[in-house]
Amino acid sequence: MKSIRLLSVAVAVSAAMTIGPAWADPPHHARGNGPPAHAGGPGKRHAPPPGWQKKAWRRGERLPIVEIDRRYWVDDYDHYNLRAPARGQRWIRQSDAEYLLVEIATGLIIDALHR
């Protein structure tokens, strides 16, 4: 009898603890009051948050090693009208309109094409 009562109290307490966050107020930006405070300030209400902007890469810059992953490599050069890269270089697709010719070992950008 004592164990049944203890079990029922434990179930009631755990249910109360899991339901509590559901009653909490949503964050400021989820109530229709605009973007969160980190999104660029009041003058830039529709600007994306810092770090969300796409970087326009240029020749001579270094691409971070995490962006030189095989899933971004372009292997079908003819399909994208790209010249074949030299040994140790790869075409990296950044977006539908941006291709970077990169040295795989160093991440140095040899060429940047914007179409």
Side-chain angles (χ1 to χ4, degrees), residues 73-94:
W73 290 6
V74 176
D75 292 323
D76 190 7
Y77 315 117
D78 293 333
H79 179 73
Y80 296 102
N81 297 323
L82 301 170
R83 68 178 186 272
R87 189 174 192 177
Q89 298 176 352
R90 283 287 185 173
W91 282 104
I92 306 283
R93 184 176 179 178
Q94 285 289 304

Side-chain angles (χ1 to χ4, degrees), residues 3-15:
S3 62
I4 293 173
R5 180 182 282 176
L6 185 60
L7 179 63
S8 64
V9 168
V11 169
V13 168
S14 65

Side-chain angles (χ1 to χ4, degrees), residues 9-70:
V9 168
V11 169
V13 168
S14 65
M17 290 177 71
T18 56
I19 292 174
W23 293 329
D25 286 338
H28 180 74
H29 64 276
R31 290 182 287 208
N33 296 330
H38 67 273
K44 299 177 183 174
R45 181 179 179 102
H46 300 290
W52 285 19
Q53 295 91 351
K54 283 283 191 181
K55 178 164 175 37
W57 295 101
R58 296 191 180 127
R59 198 175 309 153
E61 294 181 328
R62 291 196 187 276
L63 196 64
I65 199 73
V66 296
E67 301 214 15
I68 308 175
D69 193 46
R70 283 185 180 270

